[in-house]
Structure formats: C-alpha cells, structure tokens
Amino acid sequence: MTIDQKAPTTVVENDDLRLEKFLPYRLSVLSNRVSNAIAQAYGARFHLTIPAWRVMAILGRFRDLSAAELVEQTAMDKVAISRAVSSLLKNDYITRSEDPGDRRRQVLNLSDQGREIYARIVPLAHRYENDLMASLSGDEREQLDGIIDKLMVRAKEWSERGLIDE
Amino acid sequence: MTIDQKAPTTVVENDDLRLEKFLPYRLSVLSNRVSNAIAQAYGARFHLTIPAWRVMAILGRFRDLSAAELVEQTAMDKVAISRAVSSLLKNDYITRSEDPGDRRRQVLNLSDQGREIYARIVPLAHRYENDLMASLSGDEREQLDGIIDKLMVRAKEWSERGLIDE
DNA sequence: TAACATTGGTTTCAAATGTAACCACCGCTG
DNA sequence: CAGCGGTGGTTACATTTGAAACCAATGTTA
C-alpha cells in the first residue's frame, strides 16, 4: 500500500483521473450521505423533508418572513420554498397571514406546534453536527470552517460567471 | 461585525440553529454549487451527465469492468449505472460485449471516441479541482483530504447503522 | 390614470432519481 | 437434472426536482 508523501507545491496534471481523489466527487458523496441520513431521521420522527426543515430553521430564528426572504436566507429556490411552505401549512407547523401593506406578500411564522417541533429538533441537529465534528482533530476542526467558506466563495463565482472556460 | 474567537473546546448547544453555520447544510450547498457548475460544463461540451462522466472516469482507468464493478467503484447505485451505461452506448462513448464465461455479465470499455473525450475532459477536471484548491492556503490544502476522509467514515456509519438515535 | 415593467408566489410540465419488481442466467443441492 | 436461492442487469412506477409559464398585486412612467 503506497502512502502519498507531501506532493510538491506545483500541482501534477495527470493523464488519469482518480475519481476517489477528486474533490468535487468526494464532496458530492459526502454531502449526499450526510443529508440522506439526516433526512431519514427528520422524516421518521417529524414527517419533515430537508427543505421543510430548512424553512423551519430559518423561521425559528426570524419572525414575519416572506417566502422571498426565505429564498435569500436558504439558497433554495422559489419553487422549493413554495412547496415546503405549503406542506408545512398542511402540518400546521407554520402560519401564514397577509401583509396588510402589500397584498402579494405573505407573512410566515412558526405555529405553536411548529415551535415545539423546532425546539425538539435543534438539539438533535447539534448532536449530529457534533458527532461529525468529533471525528476530527482539534486542528482540523479549527480549519474546516475557513476551508468551506473559501471553497464556497469560489464555487459561487463559478455558478455566477460560469466556469474558468477556454 | 463580530468575529468569533476560538470557541472553548466544550461545544455549546444553543437553543437556536444557525443554518448558515450548520455543517450538513453548508456541505450540501457547497457540493450542489460545485456539481452544478461542472455538470453544466460537461453537458455543454460533451453531452455528458455527471453519472455518465463518472462511469467514463472509471472506465478510463480500468478495462473490462462490469456494471456491478462500476457500482463498487462509484458509490452510485445499480439503476444509475444502468442508465448512464445505456446513454453512453447511445453516444458510442463506450462499448459493451458479453462475457463468454458468464452470459449475464457485460464487459464495458471506453470506445475510441470515448477515450478521446476522456482525454479531453481529464485536464479540464484537474483544472477545476486546482482552481478550487487554489483558494485555500497550503495548510488548509494539506488538511482537507484527511478531513473529508474522516467525515466520510462517520457519515458512512450513519447511513449503515442509522443515526445516533434516542 | 392607462400602459408597462417588476415583484411575490403558484402551477404546470418535463427531466432526473429512487424503489421495487422483474427477467435471465448461474451454481449448488438433492 | 429438477429445484432453488443468489447475481447481473433492466424495466416500470412513483416521487422529487427544476424551468418556464403564469396570475395577481404593485410601482412607475407618461
């Protein structure tokens, strides 16, 4: 079994691609595994999908938001929000009322029941996150945040300006 | 603007959840951004979906694989492989032949054309990866690998044994 | 205030994805 | 070699997801 030693700073461009070492691939597998596991946990206990849970997570912290404001906060799109909202309404986890000032706008809030669920999920969520973090060393934990931030910035540029083409 | 100082080692369990700080959420957003950007690049130039490209990436390195072996290598499921394979066949990017020893089994390889495409994509893929990596410091780059590995192990446990329940 | 562009949100339709059923073949057992 | 469980792979169906069209209310301009 060969162990990679520190590669030279200059990055090597191979003729081959090792999928299992390819960052975008690994991110995708990791993120799917994590999301699916959590989705199952939420789904089983509270009949919540991930998008629905995200909406609740935001409404748990901010009151009187509109769907559009949820879009800003969640990086989800209009349609996903609309669907999550309507399913949450069906479960009575949130409430919807008209904005008197603007009759297109709908003001969303957690219902009492929703707030209760929210209060029960938050510790779970923290537990999952801690459990993930627990597998890292202190050093790694400290850097993870910054790493993700930086990658995110770059990825955002990609999706806005298109890839580093031609 | 408040800057977080080193948090105490003991992890704080809040009553609130800051979605934008929540690791599973951030992973998901990051991975989606990256995948979408790349999918678009591949799609536009080579009419390849991500699953199809993954199949090609594996076949570029290993010859005479069966669909089942692709499943092992890619963390994709049977059906996804089957669909990717049939679309790649349609494009003549891969070839399929019967295994004489076992008539259920089909032996897959890149076609000449497929190998050509592969050779053109590999440098692109490396370029995208490098571009991502370039946003990190040397320190961060060095640790990223280990971090993902560790998180992956934990996530895998989750999906196998179910979440750290009750 | 009539016309038009904009915004908030939903609906519709097509494409992507996952699950389960399925078919054909293999290999073992009696 | 009949019967049966297991494997390789595809098909069928239900669900999720995304893009674009859409409806309604607002704001803006002439």
Side-chain angles (χ1 to χ4, degrees):
Chain A
M1 190 180 308
T2 327
I3 302 208
D4 277 331
Q5 296 303 70
K6 235 185 256 206
T9 306
T10 323
V11 184
V12 184
E13 301 256 348
N14 275 324
D15 290 2
D16 266 11
L17 189 107
R18 299 181 166 251
L19 201 56
E20 73 281 10
K21 294 277 168 208
F22 187 54
L23 181 57
Y25 171 70
R26 300 213 296 159
L27 279 179
S28 155
V29 173
L30 175 60
S31 150
N32 284 340
R33 283 228 168 91
V34 170
S35 290
N36 288 340
I38 295 186
Q40 237 182 323
Y42 293 170
R45 296 166 202 233
F46 309 106
H47 302 284
L48 281 179
T49 62
I50 293 267
W53 156 245
R54 286 184 184 167
V55 167
M56 290 191 65
I58 300 294
L59 289 179
R61 295 211 303 137
F62 306 101
R63 329 184 131 265
D64 298 328
L65 293 190
S66 69
E69 287 160 339
L70 286 174
V71 169
E72 279 175 40
Q73 297 277 339
T74 53
M76 296 161 61
D77 84 357
K78 270 177 128 188
V79 181
I81 294 284
S82 170
R83 293 199 255 244
V85 163
S86 82
S87 99
L88 287 170
L89 282 171
K90 210 171 297 173
N91 295 351
D92 291 312
Y93 285 178
I94 64 175
T95 63
R96 170 163 69 179
S97 51
E98 287 197 355
D99 180 335
D102 182 342
R103 280 173 42 226
R104 294 167 303 182
R105 203 162 169 287
Q106 323 190 135
V107 180
L108 304 169
N109 279 292
L110 290 185
S111 67
D112 289 348
Q113 199 196 344
R115 197 156 289 284
E116 206 183 292
I117 302 284
Y118 176 78
R120 283 167 64 200
I121 294 189
V122 167
L124 273 185
H126 281 125
R127 205 146 122 235
Y128 298 152
E129 186 175 38
N130 290 341
D131 191 51
L132 273 180
M133 289 301 209
S135 63
L136 304 181
S137 74
D139 228 36
E140 291 167 331
R141 253 197 298 276
E142 263 175 49
Q143 296 211 69
L144 181 51
D145 240 53
I147 293 178
I148 295 186
D149 277 342
K150 290 180 179 175
L151 294 178
M152 191 84 79
V153 169
R154 182 57 52 96
K156 209 170 189 172
E157 286 171 13
W158 282 7
S159 35
E160 281 160 7
R161 282 154 218 164
L163 268 188
I164 42 171
D165 281 335
E166 312 318 332
Chain B
M1 191 183 303
T2 327
I3 302 207
D4 277 331
Q5 296 303 69
K6 234 185 258 215
T9 305
T10 322
V11 185
V12 185
E13 303 254 351
N14 275 325
D15 290 3
D16 265 11
L17 188 106
R18 298 180 167 251
L19 201 56
E20 74 280 10
K21 293 279 169 208
F22 186 53
L23 181 57
Y25 171 71
R26 299 213 297 159
L27 280 178
S28 156
V29 173
L30 175 60
S31 150
N32 284 339
R33 283 226 168 93
V34 171
S35 292
N36 289 339
I38 294 186
Q40 236 182 321
Y42 294 168
R45 299 166 201 234
F46 309 106
H47 301 286
L48 282 179
T49 62
I50 292 269
W53 156 246
R54 285 183 185 168
V55 166
M56 291 192 63
I58 298 294
L59 289 179
R61 295 212 304 136
F62 306 103
R63 328 184 132 266
D64 298 328
L65 293 190
S66 69
E69 287 160 337
L70 286 174
V71 169
E72 280 175 40
Q73 298 276 338
T74 52
M76 296 162 61
D77 86 356
K78 272 176 125 188
V79 181
I81 294 284
S82 170
R83 293 199 256 242
V85 162
S86 81
S87 100
L88 287 171
L89 282 171
K90 211 171 297 173
N91 294 351
D92 291 313
Y93 286 178
I94 64 174
T95 64
R96 170 164 67 180
S97 52
E98 287 199 355
D99 181 336
D102 181 343
R103 282 174 39 227
R104 291 167 304 183
R105 203 162 168 284
Q106 323 192 133
V107 180
L108 303 170
N109 279 291
L110 289 186
S111 68
D112 289 348
Q113 199 196 346
R115 197 158 290 283
E116 206 183 292
I117 303 283
Y118 175 78
R120 284 167 62 200
I121 294 187
V122 167
L124 273 186
H126 283 307
R127 204 145 124 238
Y128 297 153
E129 186 175 38
N130 290 342
D131 192 50
L132 273 181
M133 290 302 209
S135 62
L136 304 182
S137 74
D139 226 37
E140 291 167 330
R141 254 197 299 276
E142 262 176 49
Q143 297 212 72
L144 181 52
D145 240 55
I147 293 179
I148 295 187
D149 277 343
K150 290 180 178 176
L151 293 179
M152 191 83 79
V153 169
R154 182 55 53 94
K156 207 169 190 174
E157 287 171 13
W158 281 7
S159 33
E160 283 160 6
R161 281 152 221 167
L163 269 188
I164 43 169
D165 280 336
E166 316 312 338

